[in-house]
């Protein structure tokens, strides 16, 4: 019973940490993840420990420390790779790619993305890891989010594919995809096509209360307006 309660606490603290990241309460987020890791140790569950440790890297990204975030994710993956399911290893690789993209390390980013694709199992989720869902559409979204930072023109189709695979139930994820798609369209010189995606992303980010997303989207909206001469 103690282990089951610790497992529940780890997942709950991790969720609180992610919510804190989205409101940019980064000190709170860090402490939530520390509690999540302590509970995961108590639960003796390598998968949930790897997951909450990996999520903590996003606090470092938001603090402007992507090199440390990349190192943390690489360490977590190396430490747990033979004790966690392939779906979680896929997620860790994709998260590493995102941190490397923020860092500006295209080589590491692409290598991690390729690794994520090679590890991805069939299906959308693992019943033993209800906190994690990742499939080909999620990876297309992640790939677009990463490679748009390097001006890769293929990201437009990656992100359109990701958007087409969404069912309208994940507003925060859709907001992120539309923001990335707007960024990609602006990068290829089509600000008019980018604008409706940015407007929709702003609306969704406001609905979800994500200060983290809204900050980036508002910056991109200003760039689109400048490109349109407004």
């Amino acid at each position: 019973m103690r282990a089951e309660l610790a497992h529940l606490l780890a997942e709950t603290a991790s969720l609180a940490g992610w919510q804190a990241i989205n409101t940019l309460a980064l000190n709170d987020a860090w402490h939530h993840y520390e509690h999540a890791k302590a509970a995961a140790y108590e639960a003796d569950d390598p998968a949930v420990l790897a997951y909450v440790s990996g999520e903590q890297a996003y606090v470092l990204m938001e603090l402007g420390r992507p090199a440390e975030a990349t190192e943390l994710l690489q360490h977590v993956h190396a430490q747990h790779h033979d004790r966690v399911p392939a779906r979680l290893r896929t997620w860790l690789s994709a998260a590493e790619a995102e941190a490397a993209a923020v860092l500006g390390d295209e080589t590491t980013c692409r290598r991690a993305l390729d690794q994520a694709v090679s590890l991805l199992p069939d299906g959308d989720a693992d019943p033993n890891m209800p906190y994690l869902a990742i499939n080909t559409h999620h990876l297309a979204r992640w790939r677009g989010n990463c490679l748009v930072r390097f001006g890769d023109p293929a990201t437009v189709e990656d992100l359109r594919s990701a958007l087409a695979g969404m069912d309208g139930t994940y507003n925060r994820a859709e907001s992120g995809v539309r923001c990335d798609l707007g960024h990609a369209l602006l990068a290829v010189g089509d600000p008019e096509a980018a604008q409706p995606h940015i407007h929709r992303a702003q609306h969704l980010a406001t609905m979800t209360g994500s200060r983290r997303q809204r900050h980036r989207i508002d910056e991109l909206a200003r760039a689109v307006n400048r490109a349109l001469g407004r």
Side-chain angles (χ1 to χ4, degrees), residues 84-163:
V84 300
R87 192 174 306 279
L88 180 53
R89 292 187 62 201
T90 299
W91 182 87
L92 287 168
S93 294
E96 179 190 336
E98 186 173 352
V102 175
L103 181 61
D105 183 349
E106 186 172 359
T107 300
T108 298
C109 175
R110 288 185 179 275
R111 177 193 55 74
L113 286 171
D114 289 343
Q115 184 178 53
V117 170
S118 70
L119 290 168
L120 182 65
D122 294 334
D124 295 338
D126 185 330
N128 295 320
M129 296 186 296
Y131 46 85
L132 178 63
I134 185 167
N135 57 26
T136 54
H137 290 300
H138 294 140
L139 276 185
R141 171 175 62 83
W142 233 318
R143 181 179 178 84
N145 174 266
C146 292
L147 298 185
V148 71
R149 297 174 184 272
F150 304 112
D152 188 329
T155 57
V156 171
E157 292 310 312
D158 283 334
L159 290 163
R160 281 178 172 153
S161 173
L163 191 60

Side-chain angles (χ1 to χ4, degrees), residues 202-221:
Q202 286 177 317
H203 175 68
L204 292 169
T206 299
M207 283 175 58
T208 61
S210 177
R211 291 178 58 196
R212 173 182 178 237
Q213 282 189 328
R214 188 62 196 249
H215 177 72
R216 180 177 174 230
I217 294 165
D218 287 348
E219 285 188 345
L220 187 56

Side-chain angles (χ1 to χ4, degrees), residues 8 35 40 82 110 113 132 141 153 180-181 184 193 215 222:
L8 180 61
H35 289 310
D82 60 347
R110 288 185 179 275
L113 286 171
L132 178 63
R141 171 175 62 83
D180 290 334
L181 181 53
H215 177 72
R222 288 191 287 272

Side-chain angles (χ1 to χ4, degrees), residues 2-230:
R2 183 181 181 86
E4 290 176 0
L5 289 172
H7 195 288
L8 180 61
L9 177 59
E11 290 188 37
T12 304
S14 176
L15 179 58
W18 193 250
Q19 293 294 340
I21 289 174
N22 274 290
T23 59
L24 296 180
L26 300 179
N27 188 57
D28 290 344
W30 187 266
H31 288 298
H32 284 311
Y33 284 119
E34 288 296 297
H35 289 310
K37 288 191 297 183
Y41 276 114
E42 185 69 32
D44 193 24
D45 185 331
V48 76
L49 176 59
Y51 180 71
V52 300
S53 299
E55 276 205 329
Q56 193 172 32
Y58 281 86
V59 182
L60 294 172
M61 286 187 232
E62 292 302 320
L63 288 170
R65 295 156 63 179
E68 292 173 60
T70 304
E71 290 175 8
L72 173 58
L73 286 158
Q74 290 172 340
H75 171 74
V76 171
H77 202 168
Q79 185 177 35
H80 297 284
H81 76 277
D82 60 347
R83 299 193 295 158
V84 300
R87 192 174 306 279
L88 180 53
R89 292 187 62 201
T90 299
W91 182 87
L92 287 168
S93 294
E96 179 190 336
E98 186 173 352
V102 175
L103 181 61
D105 183 349
E106 186 172 359
T107 300
T108 298
C109 175
R110 288 185 179 275
R111 177 193 55 74
L113 286 171
D114 289 343
Q115 184 178 53
V117 170
S118 70
L119 290 168
L120 182 65
D122 294 334
D124 295 338
D126 185 330
N128 295 320
M129 296 186 296
Y131 46 85
L132 178 63
I134 185 167
N135 57 26
T136 54
H137 290 300
H138 294 140
L139 276 185
R141 171 175 62 83
W142 233 318
R143 181 179 178 84
N145 174 266
C146 292
L147 298 185
V148 71
R149 297 174 184 272
F150 304 112
D152 188 329
T155 57
V156 171
E157 292 310 312
D158 283 334
L159 290 163
R160 281 178 172 153
S161 173
L163 191 60
M166 305 188 81
D167 60 6
T169 58
Y170 294 97
N171 289 333
R172 188 177 297 159
E174 183 182 343
S175 176
V177 172
R178 288 189 181 276
C179 178
D180 290 334
L181 181 53
H183 187 173
L185 289 165
L186 179 63
V188 298
D190 196 349
E192 290 187 2
Q195 192 171 43
H197 291 293
I198 297 303
H199 286 166
R200 177 62 178 164
Q202 286 177 317
H203 175 68
L204 292 169
T206 299
M207 283 175 58
T208 61
S210 177
R211 291 178 58 196
R212 173 182 178 237
Q213 282 189 328
R214 188 62 196 249
H215 177 72
R216 180 177 174 230
I217 294 165
D218 287 348
E219 285 188 345
L220 187 56
R222 288 191 287 272
V224 169
N225 285 335
R226 286 195 297 270
L228 292 171
R230 297 175 183 172

